[in-house]
Amino acid sequence: MAGNIELLGSVLAAARAENRAALVGYLPAGFPTVDDGVRALTAMLDGGCDIVEVGLPHSDPVLDGPVIQTADDIALRGGIKIVDVIRTVKEAHEITGAPVLCMTYWNPVDAYGPERFAADLAAAGGAGCILPDLPVEESEAWRKAAERHGLATVFVVAPSSRDERLAKITAAGSGFVYAASLMGVTGTRESVGNEAQDLVRRTRAVTELPVCVGLGVSNASQAAEVAAFADGVIVGSAFVKRLLDAPDLETGLAAVRALAGELAEGVRKRA
């Protein structure tokens, strides 16, 4: 069975045709539990997300902040396995029909077997994989497996990436480019935003792929700000925090759905 890279492309193209950025939500699998995580992803998509990323929890998520680390820890203590991550992708896609990607560090995929992982993710209806720590130079085996199974390979670029490096990374990728930048502490907001905007500009100069930005967005006005220069706005910690802060699951699901709605309005405003 082929994966859903074409569905991912069509959803991103539809957002562009509407003159807006796509809204991409993220949640680790197994948080709060596997079944409740599926419900939360469904709520995000029902609320207004166009695409979701399902995180594969890792014991040392070096690229994630404390909020996502907390959710990963809850999932790991709950006994999350790769088969549960695949099931989460499958059920979220089957319920909503939306593109669902897996975001994971490379080591679990390598241990599971790249060909097997690609085959299982595609069979679940997955649209692709985001691999933030896989060097392009070491990615050929994965990329070939992903291509065989109809999956996107999304690489991450950062403001520190030089132009020639951006060209190399984006040439190897498919689906979209994940442009990573940090919101920063209070007082550095404007300069960090400018840095992200410059990264998108430089990335677009070397690729036709859509460029989606993960910038610590947590509300509609920030979503509109990023949507003004990006093809997609990626939101993770804000969704996780709504679930962590809720007194019970139903309240958390309602909060996640409401946040998705607010952010969906934001990406349509393009401040």
Side-chain angles (χ1 to χ4, degrees):
M1 178 177 175
N4 273 311
I5 187 173
E6 291 182 2
L7 175 63
L8 175 64
S10 68
V11 167
L12 287 165
R16 178 177 286 187
E18 293 174 14
N19 193 33
R20 68 173 179 88
L23 177 59
V24 185
Y26 167 91
L27 200 70
F31 169 73
T33 66
V34 176
D35 289 342
D36 292 343
V38 172
R39 292 184 66 195
L41 288 160
T42 303
M44 289 159 62
L45 289 160
D46 288 346
C49 286
D50 300 290
I51 299 159
V52 289
E53 304 169 3
V54 174
L56 195 160
H58 196 276
S59 57
D60 184 25
V62 291
L63 302 179
D64 297 312
V67 171
I68 290 173
Q69 287 182 21
T70 299
D72 275 7
D73 186 54
I74 290 168
L76 290 166
R77 283 190 281 114
I80 189 78
K81 300 283 191 293
I82 286 181
V83 66
D84 301 311
V85 178
I86 299 293
R87 176 163 75 85
T88 299
V89 171
K90 178 180 173 65
E91 293 185 8
H93 172 65
E94 285 181 345
I95 292 166
T96 65
V100 183
L101 298 105
C102 179
M103 185 167 187
T104 176
Y105 294 96
W106 175 243
N107 188 52
V109 178
D110 192 32
Y112 191 82
E115 178 67 31
R116 179 185 171 204
F117 191 89
D120 288 356
L121 184 59
C129 211
I130 303 163
L131 298 156
D133 67 336
L134 176 62
V136 171
E137 292 80 4
E138 299 170 23
S139 68
E140 186 177 5
W142 164 259
R143 286 187 287 118
K144 285 184 174 178
E147 189 173 350
R148 276 193 296 274
H149 292 285
L151 297 170
T153 295
V154 179
F155 286 112
V156 177
V157 297
S160 58
S161 305
R162 296 181 180 275
D163 290 351
E164 58 268 29
R165 185 68 182 164
L166 289 176
K168 186 169 189 175
I169 292 170
T170 57
S174 55
F176 63 90
V177 181
Y178 190 124
S181 187
L182 299 174
M183 186 68 82
V185 296
T186 305
T188 64
R189 175 80 179 84
E190 184 178 347
S191 62
V192 173
N194 291 340
E195 200 171 50
Q197 188 167 357
D198 182 62
L199 175 60
V200 171
R201 178 190 60 76
R202 292 193 298 119
T203 304
R204 282 185 173 151
V206 296
T207 184
E208 296 295 316
L209 290 172
V211 184
C212 300
V213 173
L215 188 70
V217 166
S218 61
N219 60 46
S221 62
Q222 291 170 350
E225 185 182 340
V226 176
F229 61 81
D231 298 300
V233 179
I234 301 169
V235 180
S237 293
F239 284 117
V240 174
K241 195 169 189 307
R242 292 288 176 107
L243 287 171
L244 284 172
D245 290 350
D248 56 71
L249 178 65
E250 296 306 323
T251 304
L253 293 176
V256 159
R257 188 178 290 106
L259 177 60
E262 294 164 17
L263 294 168
E265 286 185 23
V267 299
R268 285 163 172 79
K269 287 178 181 172
R270 301 183 79 119

